[in-house]
Amino acid sequence: RGVGDLELAAQQAVSLGAPVIGVAIPSGIAALDALAFILRVRRLGFRGHITCGGAFATLCRSRLLETTPALDSVIRHHGAHALVDLVEAVVDGRDLSKLQGVTNREGDGEPTRPIDITGELDLLPEREELGRFAGVPAAKMSAVRGCWGRCDYCGLRALRKEHLREMPRAKGIHRRPIESVADEMARLYHDRGVRFFHFVDENHLPRKKEEAVRVIRELDESLRRRKVGPRAIQMMLRADSASTEVVAALKELGLVRCLLGVE
C-alpha cells in the first residue's frame, strides 16, 4: 500500500520461493516504490527472475533495463499471455529472448500477440483497507481502458503508438459494461460503506456529447435501481468534453471534484 509496507512486502515475496516475481509499474510515480521493492528483494537473497509490466514499464523498458541490473525483463502492453509464457519458459529453462511481448537486454522479443481483454475488464480488485476522503470511506474505480484522444503531452498516446506498431489492428478503447460498473459500486456502497468513488481513468467519457450524456445517465439509473444513494464522485475530464449538458449530467450523477485537462 505504499513505501511504509515495502519491507514487509519484500520479505513476503521472497519467502514464497517463487521462480518469478512480477511488479506492476503503471506510472513514473509508481516506479519509485516499484524499483525500491525490486532492489530490496534482491538484497534479501531472491535469485529468481524479476519482470515488470504496465504503461510506464512498456514505454521506458530500455531505460529500466539499462539502469536496473536487478531487473531481468519487461512485459509490454497487455501482459496476460506474455506473463504466463515467461513463467513457463523460466521454469522449463528455455531461451527467453524471443518470447512474444517480452523485452530483455537483447531487445524486444516477438511482437505482442492479440488479446481480447473483455473478460479482464470485469475482474474486480481485492480491497482490504479502504482509504477515506473527507472523513468517509473511499474507493478507486476503473471503467475504461485506453483513450480516443491524441494529445502530444500524454503517455497514453505514446503507448497507443507503440501498441499499433506491434499490432496494427489493435482496438484503442475498451469500456466496461455499465451494469458491471454499477454492480461494483453497489457492492462497495452497501457492503463497505463507500460514499466517495474516484474514477482513475484518464478519459472516462465517449467523444460525442450525446453519447457521453447517455453513458452518464445510464450509470445514474443503474445505481438508482441498486439503491445506491448519496455519493460523491471524482474523475478526470477533457476540457473539450465539458459541455453544459455533460457537466449537468455529471452533477446529477454525484460529481464533486474534477481534474480538468486544459493543457
Side-chain angles (χ1 to χ4, degrees):
R1 291 180 291 270
V3 69
D5 295 323
L6 190 148
E7 181 64 23
L8 176 61
Q11 291 180 6
Q12 289 179 342
V14 173
S15 71
L16 295 174
V20 177
I21 288 179
V23 183
I25 311 183
S27 68
I29 294 176
L32 300 175
D33 290 351
L35 293 174
F37 171 82
I38 290 171
L39 294 173
R40 185 58 185 152
V41 297
R42 285 296 190 207
R43 291 179 180 176
L44 289 173
F46 182 74
R47 296 292 178 264
H49 188 99
I50 298 181
T51 189
C52 66
F56 180 86
T58 295
L59 291 173
C60 297
R61 54 191 182 275
S62 297
R63 176 79 179 274
L64 287 170
L65 289 168
E66 288 171 3
T67 60
T68 313
L71 181 66
D72 297 304
S73 67
V74 176
I75 293 178
R76 307 187 301 275
H77 305 295
H78 302 308
H81 291 316
L83 179 59
V84 174
D85 293 344
L86 174 64
V87 172
E88 290 179 345
V90 169
V91 171
D92 295 341
R94 290 187 275 116
D95 178 30
L96 308 180
S97 62
K98 302 299 183 182
L99 291 176
Q100 287 185 315
V102 179
T103 297
N104 55 34
R105 288 180 177 82
E106 297 180 24
D108 291 344
E110 296 296 319
T112 302
R113 78 173 82 170
I115 181 173
D116 181 4
I117 68 167
T118 304
E120 289 184 30
L121 296 177
D122 283 331
L123 293 175
L124 301 181
E126 292 187 9
R127 295 181 170 94
E128 296 177 356
E129 296 180 14
L130 291 173
R132 300 185 76 83
F133 182 85
V136 300
K140 293 182 178 180
M141 299 277 303
S142 181
V144 179
R145 187 85 62 85
C147 178
W148 49 261
R150 295 293 181 267
C151 305
D152 288 338
Y153 59 82
C154 184
L156 276 180
R157 180 177 185 268
L159 192 67
R160 175 69 175 155
K161 288 177 65 177
E162 283 279 307
H163 204 183
L164 288 174
R165 183 177 62 81
E166 293 198 34
M167 296 171 31
R169 297 183 180 180
K171 187 177 178 181
I173 295 181
H174 302 266
R175 181 178 295 277
R176 282 177 66 188
I178 291 175
E179 295 296 308
S180 172
V181 177
D183 283 342
E184 183 181 3
M185 294 178 71
R187 280 194 288 269
L188 289 167
Y189 184 91
H190 294 297
D191 299 343
R192 305 291 299 275
V194 172
R195 296 296 182 267
F196 184 84
F197 299 91
H198 176 195
F199 282 91
V200 299
D201 310 312
E202 295 272 357
N203 186 12
H204 182 83
L205 298 176
R207 182 196 301 262
K208 295 182 179 178
K209 175 184 66 178
E210 297 78 9
E211 183 69 9
V213 171
R214 181 190 65 78
V215 167
I216 296 166
R217 288 179 175 167
E218 282 191 17
L219 178 57
D220 189 30
E221 178 57 32
S222 296
L223 293 174
R224 292 179 190 275
R225 290 199 305 270
R226 291 162 175 78
K227 298 184 175 7
V228 176
R231 58 192 177 266
I233 291 173
Q234 172 179 320
M235 67 170 59
M236 288 183 272
L237 185 66
R238 285 175 58 101
D240 54 0
S241 297
S243 67
T244 301
E245 296 84 353
V246 167
V247 172
L250 286 172
K251 181 181 177 183
E252 290 297 317
L253 182 64
L255 187 73
V256 298
R257 190 180 187 190
C258 180
L259 176 62
L260 189 65
V262 295
E263 290 89 342

